[in-house]
């Protein structure tokens, strides 16, 4: 097939990260590679009396370093994370400002599972404590799931296709697939990602209804998937934004192609139906492999969902074996999120960023705090494992029942 006939491929050219273990992609990768743990006691005001004691907080973050005040006052912390990560991703991709004639060639899509809980709580407290005249006008938009997409597009002057995936955790991978489809259909570039801020008091009270939530007070034991001591997950703030663009367009402008989004599939098996998620996740993996034209043996590393609930962990291990066959027990598996917690829709974006960086550096990051594995998985623990990585599989499941799988290939690799 000639270059003029080759289908458009969606390439990752920029990565921006705001996470508990790093406020840029390089800092994030350093801590992920070293297997550092950043789970700690929650310090957010108003949360002291709640039974959820451990989480992954984004500390030393000042949104004003990257975002103008006029945007900050209109938005919640979850949008601050997303906008800041977007600045970093665009800078990494070498895009910067977009000329007016190119504005319709750049779109935005984000995923969100909860929206702006902190902003909403503050304004509702003003309503009931001081009266309606004290409620700010931005209450009507700042809490909304689509707020990050809207503010990123307005701030950047992006007028291409925009959207939001309002979903559970797996929506983070679905957003990447949405962006990749936009590129394949003709959009030049898409800014895509997810960031969450679930540690405000109201948001935390809502999360306490999840039976999968860990309330263990020891940070080293609160989130230990694939072990006999698994007792649930702990939440985290933050997330990641990517720049995904047409591969040929990226190369023509001299940008580095860091990875290619090769395949994706999603299924639904019901809230907390973890035994059933085995079949749904396996089906999603097979669908992602088929779209990527990828044999199971080509998967070099799996970034696991790693919920930390025994039934869910068992279902995931079996799903990997079901979908990948004999290769499923041999392929290296990792879950770096055990060092920082699950940032809901932001979690699979952070995993995707880690997968791209792992392929670039030839190292599989370890799974912090996990040692006594009780499932038939080659789980990477303790130290990073050197490996030649061409293709990564990222998995995600949501508490409401969604399952998703994403295949990404190393930048510069030819289609196999």
């Amino acid at each position: 097939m000639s270059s003029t006939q080759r289908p458009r491929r969606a390439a990752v050219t920029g990565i921006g990260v705001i996470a508990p273990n790093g406020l840029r992609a390089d800092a994030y990768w350093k801590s992920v590679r070293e297997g550092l743990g950043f789970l700690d006691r929650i310090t957010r005001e108003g949360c002291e009396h709640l039974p959820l004691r451990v989480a992954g907080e984004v500390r030393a973050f000042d949104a004003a370093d990257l975002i103008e005040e006029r945007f900050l006052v209109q938005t919640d912390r979850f949008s601050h994370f997303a906008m800041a990560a977007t600045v970093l991703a665009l800078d990494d991709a070498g895009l910067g400002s977009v000329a007016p004639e190119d504005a319709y060639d750049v779109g935005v899509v984000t995923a969100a599972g909860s929206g702006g809980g902190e902003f909403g709580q503050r304004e509702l407290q003003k309503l009931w404590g001081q009266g309606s005249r004290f409620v700010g006008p931005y209450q009507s938009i700042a809490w909304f799931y689509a707020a990050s997409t809207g503010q990123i597009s307005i701030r950047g002057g992006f007028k291409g296709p925009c959207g939001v995936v309002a979903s559970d955790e797996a929506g983070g991978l679905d957003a990447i697939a949405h962006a990749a489809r936009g590129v394949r259909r003709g959009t030049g570039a898409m800014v895509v990602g997810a960031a969450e801020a679930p540690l405000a008091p109201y948001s935390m009270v809502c999360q306490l209804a999840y039976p999968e939530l860990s309330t263990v007070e020891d940070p080293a034991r609160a989130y230990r998937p694939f072990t006999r001591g698994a007792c649930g997950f702990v939440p985290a703030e933050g997330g990641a934004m990517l720049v995904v663009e047409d591969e040929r367009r990226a190369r023509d402008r001299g940008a580095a192609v860091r990875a290619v989004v090769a395949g994706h599939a999603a299924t639904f098996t019901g809230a907390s139906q973890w035994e059933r998620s085995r079949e749904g996740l396996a089906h999603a993996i097979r669908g992602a492999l088929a779209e990527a034209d990828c044999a199971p043996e080509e998967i070099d590393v799996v970034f696991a969902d790693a919920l930390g609930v025994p039934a869910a962990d068992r279902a995931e291990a079996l799903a990997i074996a079901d979908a990948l066959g004999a290769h499923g027990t041999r392929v290296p598996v990792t879950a770096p999120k055990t060092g920082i917690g699950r940032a809901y829709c932001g979690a699979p974006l952070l995993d995707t960023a880690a997968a791209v960086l792992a392929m670039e550096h030839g190292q599989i990051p370890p799974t912090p705090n996990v040692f006594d594995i009780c499932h038939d998985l080659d789980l990477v623990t303790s130290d990073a494992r050197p490996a030649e990585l061409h293709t990564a599989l990222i998995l995600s499941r949501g508490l409401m029942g969604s399952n998703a799988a994403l295949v990404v290939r190393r930048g510069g690799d030819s289609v196999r």
Side-chain angles (χ1 to χ4, degrees), residues 168-170 270-272 274 305 342 396-404:
D168 57 23
E169 291 90 323
S272 298
W274 300 119
D305 175 61
R342 292 169 66 92
S396 184
R397 292 171 299 176
L399 298 176
M400 296 299 103
S402 298
N403 314 285

Side-chain angles (χ1 to χ4, degrees), residues 67-75 83 151 154-155:
I67 309 297
E68 302 88 338
E69 177 65 19
R70 66 189 180 93
F71 288 101
L72 295 181
V73 299
Q74 303 176 25
T75 49
M83 287 190 289
Q151 296 289 0
I154 292 169
R155 184 176 182 275

Side-chain angles (χ1 to χ4, degrees), residues 240-267:
M241 298 295 295
L242 310 175
V243 174
V244 177
E245 59 184 304
D246 174 50
E247 182 184 22
R248 191 177 302 120
R249 174 187 187 270
R251 295 192 188 281
D252 287 347
R253 68 179 185 85
V257 172
R258 307 189 68 168
V260 171
V261 180
H264 165 271
T267 61

Side-chain angles (χ1 to χ4, degrees), residues 22 57 92 140:
E57 289 188 22
D92 186 46
S140 61

Side-chain angles (χ1 to χ4, degrees), residues 213-410:
L213 191 74
S214 170
T215 55
V216 172
E217 297 189 21
D218 181 355
R221 297 180 178 275
Y223 183 25
R224 303 184 66 240
F226 303 117
T227 71
R228 289 182 175 83
C231 54
F233 75 96
V234 297
E237 297 183 299
M241 298 295 295
L242 310 175
V243 174
V244 177
E245 59 184 304
D246 174 50
E247 182 184 22
R248 191 177 302 120
R249 174 187 187 270
R251 295 192 188 281
D252 287 347
R253 68 179 185 85
V257 172
R258 307 189 68 168
V260 171
V261 180
H264 165 271
T267 61
F268 179 80
T269 48
S272 298
Q273 300 295 312
W274 300 119
E275 292 82 1
R276 293 177 59 191
S277 75
R278 170 185 178 178
E279 180 182 1
L281 186 60
H283 192 81
I285 294 170
R286 294 189 190 100
L289 294 177
E291 184 174 80
D293 192 21
C294 177
E297 295 75 20
E298 292 183 68
I299 297 298
D300 299 312
V301 61
V302 176
F303 282 75
D305 175 61
L307 185 62
V309 173
D313 294 344
R314 183 169 54 253
E316 182 171 21
L318 292 171
I320 292 170
D322 292 345
L324 302 185
H327 186 59
T329 59
R330 298 191 299 262
V331 64
V333 178
T334 185
K337 63 169 68 74
T338 62
I340 60 173
R342 292 169 66 92
Y344 294 98
C345 283
L349 264 300
L350 288 168
D351 279 347
T352 301
V356 174
L357 292 161
M359 290 190 291
E360 288 181 347
H361 291 86
Q363 290 183 299
I364 302 171
T367 307
N369 299 323
V370 173
F371 307 101
D372 51 327
I373 305 151
C374 63
H375 297 278
D376 193 10
L377 292 172
D378 181 16
L379 194 69
V380 179
T381 60
S382 300
D383 299 304
R385 183 185 299 180
E388 185 175 353
L389 305 174
H390 295 274
T391 307
L393 174 66
I394 301 106
L395 306 179
S396 184
R397 292 171 299 176
L399 298 176
M400 296 299 103
S402 298
N403 314 285
L406 183 77
V407 175
V408 293
R409 293 195 187 274
R410 188 173 68 184

